[in-house]
PDB file of all heavy atoms in Angstrom:
ATOM      1  N   GLY A 117    -147.013  85.008  80.978  1.00 97.00           N
ATOM      2  CA  GLY A 117    -146.500  86.094  81.791  1.00 97.00           C
ATOM      3  C   GLY A 117    -144.999  86.238  81.819  1.00 97.00           C
ATOM      4  O   GLY A 117    -144.484  87.192  82.411  1.00 97.00           O
ATOM      5  N   GLY A 118    -144.290  85.318  81.198  1.00 98.00           N
ATOM      6  CA  GLY A 118    -142.845  85.427  81.161  1.00 98.00           C
ATOM      7  C   GLY A 118    -142.405  86.564  80.257  1.00 98.00           C
ATOM      8  O   GLY A 118    -143.195  87.156  79.531  1.00 98.00           O
ATOM      9  N   GLY A 119    -141.121  86.854  80.313  1.00 98.00           N
ATOM     10  CA  GLY A 119    -140.585  87.915  79.489  1.00 98.00           C
ATOM     11  C   GLY A 119    -139.210  88.327  79.945  1.00 98.00           C
ATOM     12  O   GLY A 119    -138.573  87.646  80.743  1.00 98.00           O
ATOM     13  N   LEU A 120    -138.759  89.448  79.418  1.00 98.00           N
ATOM     14  CA  LEU A 120    -137.453  90.004  79.747  1.00 98.00           C
ATOM     15  C   LEU A 120    -137.639  91.157  80.718  1.00 98.00           C
ATOM     16  O   LEU A 120    -138.446  92.060  80.482  1.00 98.00           O
ATOM     17  CB  LEU A 120    -136.755  90.495  78.473  1.00 98.00           C
ATOM     18  CG  LEU A 120    -135.421  91.212  78.645  1.00 98.00           C
ATOM     19  CD1 LEU A 120    -134.379  90.265  79.234  1.00 98.00           C
ATOM     20  CD2 LEU A 120    -134.959  91.764  77.305  1.00 98.00           C
ATOM     21  N   VAL A 121    -136.884  91.124  81.801  1.00 98.00           N
ATOM     22  CA  VAL A 121    -136.989  92.163  82.814  1.00 98.00           C
ATOM     23  C   VAL A 121    -135.605  92.453  83.379  1.00 98.00           C
ATOM     24  O   VAL A 121    -134.745  91.570  83.408  1.00 98.00           O
ATOM     25  CB  VAL A 121    -137.967  91.736  83.933  1.00 98.00           C
ATOM     26  CG1 VAL A 121    -137.428  90.521  84.679  1.00 98.00           C
ATOM     27  CG2 VAL A 121    -138.258  92.877  84.884  1.00 98.00           C
ATOM     28  N   GLN A 122    -135.388  93.684  83.807  1.00 98.00           N
ATOM     29  CA  GLN A 122    -134.125  94.039  84.429  1.00 98.00           C
ATOM     30  C   GLN A 122    -134.077  93.546  85.868  1.00 98.00           C
ATOM     31  O   GLN A 122    -135.102  93.370  86.516  1.00 98.00           O
ATOM     32  CB  GLN A 122    -133.923  95.554  84.418  1.00 98.00           C
ATOM     33  CG  GLN A 122    -133.621  96.143  83.064  1.00 98.00           C
ATOM     34  CD  GLN A 122    -133.260  97.605  83.130  1.00 98.00           C
ATOM     35  OE1 GLN A 122    -133.801  98.420  82.405  1.00 98.00           O
ATOM     36  NE2 GLN A 122    -132.326  97.941  84.024  1.00 98.00           N
ATOM     37  N   ALA A 123    -132.875  93.313  86.347  1.00 98.00           N
ATOM     38  CA  ALA A 123    -132.700  92.929  87.741  1.00 98.00           C
ATOM     39  C   ALA A 123    -133.391  93.940  88.643  1.00 98.00           C
ATOM     40  O   ALA A 123    -133.308  95.150  88.428  1.00 98.00           O
ATOM     41  CB  ALA A 123    -131.220  92.831  88.085  1.00 98.00           C
ATOM     42  N   GLY A 124    -134.075  93.420  89.638  1.00 98.00           N
ATOM     43  CA  GLY A 124    -134.825  94.260  90.546  1.00 98.00           C
ATOM     44  C   GLY A 124    -136.272  94.445  90.151  1.00 98.00           C
ATOM     45  O   GLY A 124    -137.076  94.932  90.953  1.00 98.00           O
ATOM     46  N   GLY A 125    -136.609  94.042  88.947  1.00 98.00           N
ATOM     47  CA  GLY A 125    -137.962  94.186  88.458  1.00 98.00           C
ATOM     48  C   GLY A 125    -138.868  93.060  88.907  1.00 98.00           C
ATOM     49  O   GLY A 125    -138.469  92.174  89.660  1.00 98.00           O
ATOM     50  N   SER A 126    -140.096  93.096  88.405  1.00 98.00           N
ATOM     51  CA  SER A 126    -141.109  92.127  88.803  1.00 98.00           C
ATOM     52  C   SER A 126    -141.828  91.552  87.596  1.00 98.00           C
ATOM     53  O   SER A 126    -141.947  92.200  86.557  1.00 98.00           O
ATOM     54  CB  SER A 126    -142.149  92.781  89.716  1.00 98.00           C
ATOM     55  OG  SER A 126    -141.570  93.264  90.912  1.00 98.00           O
ATOM     56  N   LEU A 127    -142.305  90.339  87.755  1.00 98.00           N
ATOM     57  CA  LEU A 127    -143.161  89.686  86.782  1.00 98.00           C
ATOM     58  C   LEU A 127    -144.183  88.855  87.531  1.00 98.00           C
ATOM     59  O   LEU A 127    -143.906  88.374  88.632  1.00 98.00           O
ATOM     60  CB  LEU A 127    -142.376  88.760  85.851  1.00 98.00           C
ATOM     61  CG  LEU A 127    -141.521  89.374  84.748  1.00 98.00           C
ATOM     62  CD1 LEU A 127    -140.695  88.273  84.082  1.00 98.00           C
ATOM     63  CD2 LEU A 127    -142.384  90.078  83.718  1.00 98.00           C
ATOM     64  N   ARG A 128    -145.341  88.680  86.939  1.00 98.00           N
ATOM     65  CA  ARG A 128    -146.329  87.759  87.479  1.00 98.00           C
ATOM     66  C   ARG A 128    -146.630  86.693  86.446  1.00 98.00           C
ATOM     67  O   ARG A 128    -147.102  86.996  85.348  1.00 98.00           O
ATOM     68  CB  ARG A 128    -147.625  88.467  87.873  1.00 98.00           C
ATOM     69  CG  ARG A 128    -148.579  87.528  88.632  1.00 98.00           C
ATOM     70  CD  ARG A 128    -149.900  88.167  88.987  1.00 98.00           C
ATOM     71  NE  ARG A 128    -150.786  88.287  87.837  1.00 98.00           N
ATOM     72  CZ  ARG A 128    -152.105  88.412  87.921  1.00 98.00           C
ATOM     73  NH1 ARG A 128    -152.693  88.448  89.116  1.00 98.00           N
ATOM     74  NH2 ARG A 128    -152.831  88.527  86.827  1.00 98.00           N
ATOM     75  N   LEU A 129    -146.349  85.457  86.802  1.00 98.00           N
ATOM     76  CA  LEU A 129    -146.659  84.334  85.948  1.00 98.00           C
ATOM     77  C   LEU A 129    -148.046  83.806  86.281  1.00 98.00           C
ATOM     78  O   LEU A 129    -148.454  83.796  87.440  1.00 98.00           O
ATOM     79  CB  LEU A 129    -145.641  83.212  86.125  1.00 98.00           C
ATOM     80  CG  LEU A 129    -144.170  83.585  85.942  1.00 98.00           C
ATOM     81  CD1 LEU A 129    -143.306  82.336  86.043  1.00 98.00           C
ATOM     82  CD2 LEU A 129    -143.946  84.296  84.617  1.00 98.00           C
ATOM     83  N   SER A 130    -148.744  83.352  85.256  1.00 98.00           N
ATOM     84  CA  SER A 130    -150.064  82.775  85.435  1.00 98.00           C
ATOM     85  C   SER A 130    -150.088  81.371  84.867  1.00 98.00           C
ATOM     86  O   SER A 130    -149.402  81.071  83.895  1.00 98.00           O
ATOM     87  CB  SER A 130    -151.130  83.622  84.727  1.00 98.00           C
ATOM     88  OG  SER A 130    -151.194  84.925  85.265  1.00 98.00           O
ATOM     89  N   CYS A 131    -150.886  80.520  85.473  1.00 97.00           N
ATOM     90  CA  CYS A 131    -151.077  79.158  85.004  1.00 97.00           C
ATOM     91  C   CYS A 131    -152.563  78.873  84.974  1.00 97.00           C
ATOM     92  O   CYS A 131    -153.228  78.922  86.018  1.00 97.00           O
ATOM     93  CB  CYS A 131    -150.361  78.165  85.922  1.00 97.00           C
ATOM     94  SG  CYS A 131    -150.718  76.423  85.566  1.00 97.00           S
ATOM     95  N   ALA A 132    -153.078  78.580  83.804  1.00 96.00           N
ATOM     96  CA  ALA A 132    -154.482  78.246  83.641  1.00 96.00           C
ATOM     97  C   ALA A 132    -154.624  76.732  83.555  1.00 96.00           C
ATOM     98  O   ALA A 132    -154.011  76.098  82.701  1.00 96.00           O
ATOM     99  CB  ALA A 132    -155.047  78.902  82.388  1.00 96.00           C
ATOM    100  N   ALA A 133    -155.415  76.163  84.445  1.00 95.00           N
ATOM    101  CA  ALA A 133    -155.648  74.726  84.477  1.00 95.00           C
ATOM    102  C   ALA A 133    -157.029  74.421  83.919  1.00 95.00           C
ATOM    103  O   ALA A 133    -158.010  75.078  84.266  1.00 95.00           O
ATOM    104  CB  ALA A 133    -155.527  74.190  85.898  1.00 95.00           C
ATOM    105  N   SER A 134    -157.095  73.429  83.060  1.00 94.00           N
ATOM    106  CA  SER A 134    -158.368  73.025  82.488  1.00 94.00           C
ATOM    107  C   SER A 134    -158.395  71.514  82.337  1.00 94.00           C
ATOM    108  O   SER A 134    -157.390  70.834  82.528  1.00 94.00           O
ATOM    109  CB  SER A 134    -158.602  73.704  81.138  1.00 94.00           C
ATOM    110  OG  SER A 134    -157.596  73.347  80.205  1.00 94.00           O
ATOM    111  N   GLY A 135    -159.561  70.982  81.981  1.00 91.00           N
ATOM    112  CA  GLY A 135    -159.703  69.544  81.867  1.00 91.00           C
ATOM    113  C   GLY A 135    -159.889  68.908  83.230  1.00 91.00           C
ATOM    114  O   GLY A 135    -160.666  69.393  84.045  1.00 91.00           O
ATOM    115  N   ARG A 136    -159.157  67.834  83.480  1.00 82.00           N
ATOM    116  CA  ARG A 136    -159.232  67.126  84.751  1.00 82.00           C
ATOM    117  C   ARG A 136    -158.385  67.847  85.781  1.00 82.00           C
ATOM    118  O   ARG A 136    -157.171  67.653  85.841  1.00 82.00           O
ATOM    119  CB  ARG A 136    -158.780  65.682  84.589  1.00 82.00           C
ATOM    120  CG  ARG A 136    -159.688  64.850  83.697  1.00 82.00           C
ATOM    121  CD  ARG A 136    -159.154  63.438  83.526  1.00 82.00           C
ATOM    122  NE  ARG A 136    -159.041  62.738  84.792  1.00 82.00           N
ATOM    123  CZ  ARG A 136    -160.018  62.063  85.374  1.00 82.00           C
ATOM    124  NH1 ARG A 136    -161.212  61.993  84.791  1.00 82.00           N
ATOM    125  NH2 ARG A 136    -159.822  61.456  86.526  1.00 82.00           N
ATOM    126  N   THR A 137    -159.044  68.646  86.596  1.00 77.00           N
ATOM    127  CA  THR A 137    -158.343  69.460  87.590  1.00 77.00           C
ATOM    128  C   THR A 137    -158.624  68.984  89.006  1.00 77.00           C
ATOM    129  O   THR A 137    -158.673  69.784  89.938  1.00 77.00           O
ATOM    130  CB  THR A 137    -158.731  70.941  87.443  1.00 77.00           C
ATOM    131  OG1 THR A 137    -160.145  71.090  87.631  1.00 77.00           O
ATOM    132  CG2 THR A 137    -158.335  71.459  86.077  1.00 77.00           C
ATOM    133  N   LEU A 138    -158.776  67.682  89.179  1.00 76.00           N
ATOM    134  CA  LEU A 138    -159.093  67.126  90.491  1.00 76.00           C
ATOM    135  C   LEU A 138    -157.998  67.386  91.514  1.00 76.00           C
ATOM    136  O   LEU A 138    -158.258  67.398  92.713  1.00 76.00           O
ATOM    137  CB  LEU A 138    -159.363  65.626  90.381  1.00 76.00           C
ATOM    138  CG  LEU A 138    -160.563  65.213  89.535  1.00 76.00           C
ATOM    139  CD1 LEU A 138    -160.693  63.699  89.514  1.00 76.00           C
ATOM    140  CD2 LEU A 138    -161.839  65.852  90.055  1.00 76.00           C
ATOM    141  N   ASN A 139    -156.766  67.566  91.045  1.00 79.00           N
ATOM    142  CA  ASN A 139    -155.643  67.825  91.932  1.00 79.00           C
ATOM    143  C   ASN A 139    -155.226  69.289  91.910  1.00 79.00           C
ATOM    144  O   ASN A 139    -154.070  69.617  92.153  1.00 79.00           O
ATOM    145  CB  ASN A 139    -154.454  66.944  91.560  1.00 79.00           C
ATOM    146  CG  ASN A 139    -154.727  65.480  91.768  1.00 79.00           C
ATOM    147  OD1 ASN A 139    -154.615  64.683  90.838  1.00 79.00           O
ATOM    148  ND2 ASN A 139    -155.101  65.119  92.991  1.00 79.00           N
ATOM    149  N   PHE A 140    -156.175  70.159  91.618  1.00 84.00           N
ATOM    150  CA  PHE A 140    -155.869  71.579  91.548  1.00 84.00           C
ATOM    151  C   PHE A 140    -155.303  72.100  92.860  1.00 84.00           C
ATOM    152  O   PHE A 140    -154.515  73.048  92.863  1.00 84.00           O
ATOM    153  CB  PHE A 140    -157.111  72.380  91.167  1.00 84.00           C
ATOM    154  CG  PHE A 140    -156.867  73.863  91.127  1.00 84.00           C
ATOM    155  CD1 PHE A 140    -156.188  74.443  90.075  1.00 84.00           C
ATOM    156  CD2 PHE A 140    -157.308  74.685  92.165  1.00 84.00           C
ATOM    157  CE1 PHE A 140    -155.957  75.811  90.033  1.00 84.00           C
ATOM    158  CE2 PHE A 140    -157.079  76.054  92.127  1.00 84.00           C
ATOM    159  CZ  PHE A 140    -156.405  76.616  91.062  1.00 84.00           C
ATOM    160  N   TYR A 141    -155.691  71.471  93.957  1.00 86.00           N
ATOM    161  CA  TYR A 141    -155.239  71.949  95.264  1.00 86.00           C
ATOM    162  C   TYR A 141    -153.901  71.346  95.673  1.00 86.00           C
ATOM    163  O   TYR A 141    -153.572  71.287  96.855  1.00 86.00           O
ATOM    164  CB  TYR A 141    -156.333  71.714  96.304  1.00 86.00           C
ATOM    165  CG  TYR A 141    -157.523  72.583  96.029  1.00 86.00           C
ATOM    166  CD1 TYR A 141    -158.650  72.080  95.384  1.00 86.00           C
ATOM    167  CD2 TYR A 141    -157.511  73.930  96.366  1.00 86.00           C
ATOM    168  CE1 TYR A 141    -159.729  72.895  95.093  1.00 86.00           C
ATOM    169  CE2 TYR A 141    -158.589  74.755  96.070  1.00 86.00           C
ATOM    170  CZ  TYR A 141    -159.693  74.235  95.444  1.00 86.00           C
ATOM    171  OH  TYR A 141    -160.764  75.054  95.155  1.00 86.00           O
ATOM    172  N   ASN A 142    -153.138  70.941  94.720  1.00 91.00           N
ATOM    173  CA  ASN A 142    -151.750  70.539  94.899  1.00 91.00           C
ATOM    174  C   ASN A 142    -150.992  70.989  93.655  1.00 91.00           C
ATOM    175  O   ASN A 142    -150.798  70.225  92.715  1.00 91.00           O
ATOM    176  CB  ASN A 142    -151.630  69.037  95.103  1.00 91.00           C
ATOM    177  CG  ASN A 142    -150.208  68.610  95.401  1.00 91.00           C
ATOM    178  OD1 ASN A 142    -149.326  69.434  95.629  1.00 91.00           O
ATOM    179  ND2 ASN A 142    -149.979  67.300  95.390  1.00 91.00           N
ATOM    180  N   MET A 143    -150.597  72.237  93.655  1.00 95.00           N
ATOM    181  CA  MET A 143    -149.980  72.859  92.493  1.00 95.00           C
ATOM    182  C   MET A 143    -148.601  73.397  92.857  1.00 95.00           C
ATOM    183  O   MET A 143    -148.347  73.773  94.001  1.00 95.00           O
ATOM    184  CB  MET A 143    -150.841  74.008  91.968  1.00 95.00           C
ATOM    185  CG  MET A 143    -152.266  73.618  91.624  1.00 95.00           C
ATOM    186  SD  MET A 143    -152.372  72.592  90.129  1.00 95.00           S
ATOM    187  CE  MET A 143    -151.840  73.775  88.886  1.00 95.00           C
TER     188      MET A 143
END
């Protein structure tokens, strides 16, 4: 979700977790 944006703009970053995600609730 990263990229180039002008000041004042918006971006949404995403993080996909896989494998051992036992600590998913501490991100």
Side-chain angles (χ1 to χ4, degrees):
L120 175 64
V121 65
Q122 288 187 230
S126 298
L127 285 172
R128 188 183 75 158
L129 306 184
S130 298
C131 172
S134 61
R136 295 178 60 86
T137 60
L138 297 180
N139 295 123
F140 178 76
Y141 293 100
N142 185 9
M143 304 289 293

